[in-house]
Amino acid sequence: MFDRLEDLLIRFEEIMGELGEPTVTNDQERFRSLMKEQSDLTPIVEAYKEYKKSRQDIEDSLVMLEEESDEDMREMLKEELNAAKKRVEELENKLKILLLPKDPNDDKNVIVEIRAGAGGDEAALFAAEVYRLYVHYAEGQRWKVETMNVDEIGIGGMKEVNFMISGQGAYSRLKYESGVHRVQRVPETESGGRIHTSTISVAVMPEVDEDIDIVIEDKDIRIDVMRASGNGGQCVNTTDSAVRLTHYPTGIVVYSQTEKSQLQNKAKAFALLKAKLYDIEQQQRHDAEAELRRSQIGTGDRSEKIRTYNFPQGRVTDHRINLTLYKLDKIMNGDIQEIIDACIAADQAAKLAKMGEG
């Protein structure tokens, strides 16, 4: 590990030297690549430099302890020595985590798809609430949210909604939200006061940009244009601006109607289709790598039940990490950082354990 850290320190200094040259901005692609590499290496290099300093502090304290006879001074030196030893241990763990292989999609924007499952109108109402949960969370992170398509029911629910969240590291945090979310509560439409269980599915997919090669052949796609339906406003409803794409090989159908222009809706529909095709590719690769599945939180399966929201008890349970929180109101308002942090920590612990086995 330390040989690798020394190599990264040398590489970081090379990058800093190159970025300091006056001609560096002449090649914009090279400049962007260097800036990204510098940004990725900075937390590792800073932690490693602090680690080396703490190791030096230990050595200095030991030398001074050998030479010091005054008891008060010796006590103070022992305290400094213990603090430095504790810090070295903390930094070693931090460096192990920083050196874990990074998911290449972590920095990407995400496309989220929420679908109502079992439970009829109640599932659609919960889908709309979870959509608002993610919008609030994204706003708290200063991320941008764009709705791509929504299939609403008259009472404020959503059978399906697709939206993009754009922001630094969006996928690295929201990827843990994929799976089946279950709600337990008394529906407003239920006169008998009985608790019903309904489900929705959430799929979080990285946006497909130029570094991912997803080719869609013209012969494999049908493009239909039509008038948008629903509460789109006068302009949207009176022009053929909505776009539906049908992908023959997979049977995937995507629809975009939130923009006034057919061109913008077409771009959004293609972005959604590419994300879905890439997601299928990732799932196939994931299923083929049984070892990888064991090192991740849960199974990574889209049909896996990941979380239960119990309204009568004000409780949210994440089944993958056995975490239960009694702050349902705050969570439904977008306060999910504690759950995400716990998922990240569990994921890192599983990967570190797997590395230890190797």
Side-chain angles (χ1 to χ4, degrees), residues 214-221 245 247 270 273-274 277:
I214 295 285
V215 179
I216 299 171
E217 303 279 356
D218 289 344
K219 65 180 173 59
D220 290 340
I221 198 99
L245 301 181
H247 187 248
F270 267 100
L273 177 59
K274 282 186 174 180
L277 292 173

Side-chain angles (χ1 to χ4, degrees), residues 110-352:
V110 296
I111 291 173
V112 185
E113 178 180 83
I114 302 174
R115 284 173 178 263
D121 287 354
E122 173 62 9
L125 287 166
F126 187 59
E129 289 173 64
V130 171
Y131 165 70
R132 286 191 288 274
L133 180 164
Y134 292 134
V135 170
H136 287 147
Y137 177 70
E139 285 168 352
Q141 304 300 313
R142 306 226 170 124
W143 292 342
K144 183 183 166 196
V145 180
E146 276 181 278
T147 305
M148 304 172 88
N149 179 47
V150 58
D151 182 3
E152 295 176 296
I153 63 170
I155 56 172
M158 296 174 175
K159 283 185 187 173
E160 182 181 337
V161 58
N162 303 99
F163 55 103
M164 180 182 279
I165 296 179
S166 309
Q168 183 62 39
Y171 186 75
S172 69
R173 288 186 241 170
L174 290 172
K175 62 183 174 183
Y176 300 103
E177 294 301 301
S178 283
V180 174
H181 296 237
R182 185 172 70 163
V183 60
Q184 294 175 326
R185 64 182 174 190
V186 179
E188 286 177 28
T189 52
E190 169 62 48
S191 56
R194 287 176 304 154
I195 293 171
H196 283 227
T197 298
S198 306
T199 61
I200 64 163
S201 64
V202 175
V204 178
M205 302 165 278
E207 182 190 14
V208 175
D209 49 26
E210 52 284 353
D211 68 333
I212 298 172
D213 190 24
I214 295 285
V215 179
I216 299 171
E217 303 279 356
D218 289 344
K219 65 180 173 59
D220 290 340
I221 198 99
R222 190 177 83 216
I223 304 171
D224 295 308
V225 295
M226 61 206 72
R227 290 191 182 181
S229 58
N231 308 319
Q234 200 175 343
C235 287
V236 174
N237 289 330
T238 55
T239 58
D240 289 339
S241 59
V243 174
R244 183 177 64 208
L245 301 181
T246 306
H247 187 248
Y248 295 126
T250 59
I252 292 171
V253 177
V254 296
Y255 188 67
S256 178
Q257 62 167 14
T258 55
E259 301 295 334
K260 290 177 185 175
S261 126
Q262 188 188 114
L263 209 61
Q264 288 171 307
N265 279 323
K266 190 176 173 184
K268 279 191 173 183
F270 267 100
L272 178 55
L273 177 59
K274 282 186 174 180
K276 281 175 171 273
L277 292 173
Y278 181 57
D279 188 52
I280 289 169
E281 197 179 282
Q282 278 196 305
Q283 285 289 308
Q284 286 170 344
R285 196 179 305 132
H286 168 269
D287 291 343
E289 294 168 3
E291 278 300 306
L292 175 67
R293 187 185 299 180
R294 283 214 295 272
S295 73
Q296 289 179 334
I297 300 244
T299 64
D301 192 320
R302 285 277 182 269
S303 61
E304 181 191 13
K305 182 185 72 184
I306 65 163
R307 199 172 297 150
T308 297
Y309 304 73
N310 183 297
F311 277 71
Q313 295 175 19
R315 156 170 68 80
V316 176
T317 300
D318 195 293
H319 305 288
R320 298 163 298 178
I321 52 175
N322 295 322
L323 173 73
T324 296
L325 299 172
Y326 287 88
K327 53 174 196 179
L328 182 119
D329 289 351
K330 286 185 176 177
I331 286 166
M332 293 311 295
N333 205 31
D335 184 4
I336 55 170
Q337 194 58 55
E338 188 175 348
I339 299 174
I340 289 170
D341 288 343
C343 286
I344 291 169
D347 200 17
Q348 289 170 344
K351 284 174 181 165
L352 285 170

